Amino acid sequence: MGTPSSLSAPLRLVIDLTSRCNLRCAYCCFFSNPDESVRTDLAPERWVELIDEAGRCGVLHVVLRGGEALLSPAFDAVVDAVVRNRMRFFLLTNGMIFDDAVAARFAATGRCERVKISLDGPEEIHDRLRGRGSHARAVAAIASARRAGLPLYVTCAVHRFNYRMLPDIIRYFTDELDLPDFSFSGVSICDAAEYALTEEQFHEAMHLLSVHEHPRMASRGMYGGLLRWRRLLNGVPDDPGCRKLRKDMSVLADGTFAPCPTLSSVPLGRVGETTLLEAWRKLCERIDLHENKPIGPECAKCRFYGVCKGFCTGIRNTGLNANWRNFCLARHIAVYGEAL
């Protein structure tokens, strides 16, 4: 059985600093979820109070996301509070307003752990669903991060219009942009059904990642799932519980504490009404969220039943549960064999 964290406080807070965004990506998980897009942003002074509270509790890292985090009127004050509390921060951005000045400021803090920029491939692919001109701005943001010497990580959303282009995208990332670190995440049916990968498309995409594997692929997202399948094939069991829920906690744009971004519909309290430590204790008490277990009706008869624990508690506890076959190794092997 998965066990809750033994930590007295989270090591990392994942903060949706604002519900504002300067793009309307067709498959965005934020704006396709009315519970998220209508949230009223927490007041800037409340965010600063939360960071100060986190510092007193021993939180070490803060992930700043949105919407687009750089649009938040609280952004500068939050970064100052992170630095003042001797924590480190990680920014997720679409790159539209991330420029040399922002990059230089981040570098000057000495506390920027990483900048993660969204890029879905070459211009035609990226701009098709993110908007004209967004590719150029993302590439410029990558250049700004590099000039400032910031650790850089690029993530690509994989959907039904670009999944067969994965070999070209990998070549673009490695040969043309020379990216040091990149990952792929599948657009899910919970985000935008018309762009989400079907089961067949998902497994084809995973096969393409396997065939065109590159050492710069980060062990996260879809490639992380591929590495997990390889471990299962070698008889290495899944962790019985979610590792992230043992050390991370999320805060939504309106100040609602939640277990993680996937489980944003599970409130643990609210900034100003619930302390960070009270919210953390509530998360630790939710044994049902910590335990991984197989989720499909076919699982009990599967050859991997003894080692597969169902991949993710967030998937099991949300609408993604209906998409469990995407993450099924046995179904992948039935089509593509065991040469992962």
Side-chain angles (χ1 to χ4, degrees), residues 239-253:
D239 193 295
C242 178
R243 293 182 182 181
K244 287 190 175 181
L245 291 185
R246 295 177 194 163
K247 60 184 180 66
D248 293 4
M249 188 168 64
S250 289
V251 192
L252 308 182

Side-chain angles (χ1 to χ4, degrees), residues 141-282:
I142 290 170
S144 291
R146 282 179 150 160
R147 280 192 289 270
L150 295 172
L152 176 66
Y153 168 39
V154 167
T155 183
C156 172
V158 181
H159 48 79
R160 65 181 55 185
F161 295 113
N162 72 351
Y163 77 98
R164 283 186 171 153
M165 300 174 184
L166 280 171
D168 296 325
I169 294 173
I170 292 168
R171 281 191 291 272
Y172 176 66
F173 284 172
T174 57
D175 297 347
E176 293 191 39
L177 296 184
D178 193 26
L179 296 175
D181 194 7
F182 57 91
S183 71
F184 300 97
S185 58
V187 172
S188 79
I189 195 168
C190 291
D191 300 342
E194 67 226 86
Y195 303 107
L197 299 173
T198 65
E199 179 188 347
E200 293 77 13
Q201 290 168 344
F202 184 91
H203 286 284
E204 184 178 347
M206 293 289 273
H207 175 68
L208 289 171
L209 288 181
S210 176
V211 171
H212 298 276
E213 185 175 14
H214 194 279
R216 296 186 194 176
M217 285 184 192
S219 57
R220 309 174 184 93
M222 293 174 69
Y223 182 60
L226 182 67
L227 297 179
R228 169 184 171 262
W229 280 352
R230 289 175 180 169
R231 291 193 295 270
L232 295 182
L233 273 172
N234 289 321
V236 180
D238 281 336
D239 193 295
C242 178
R243 293 182 182 181
K244 287 190 175 181
L245 291 185
R246 295 177 194 163
K247 60 184 180 66
D248 293 4
M249 188 168 64
S250 289
V251 192
L252 308 182
D254 64 353
T256 300
F257 292 108
C260 70
T262 303
L263 291 170
S264 61
S265 60
V266 181
L268 301 170
R270 196 153 182 249
V271 174
E273 301 170 4
T274 308
T275 68
L276 187 152
L277 292 183
E278 287 171 342
W280 179 246
R281 283 194 291 270
K282 288 181 182 180

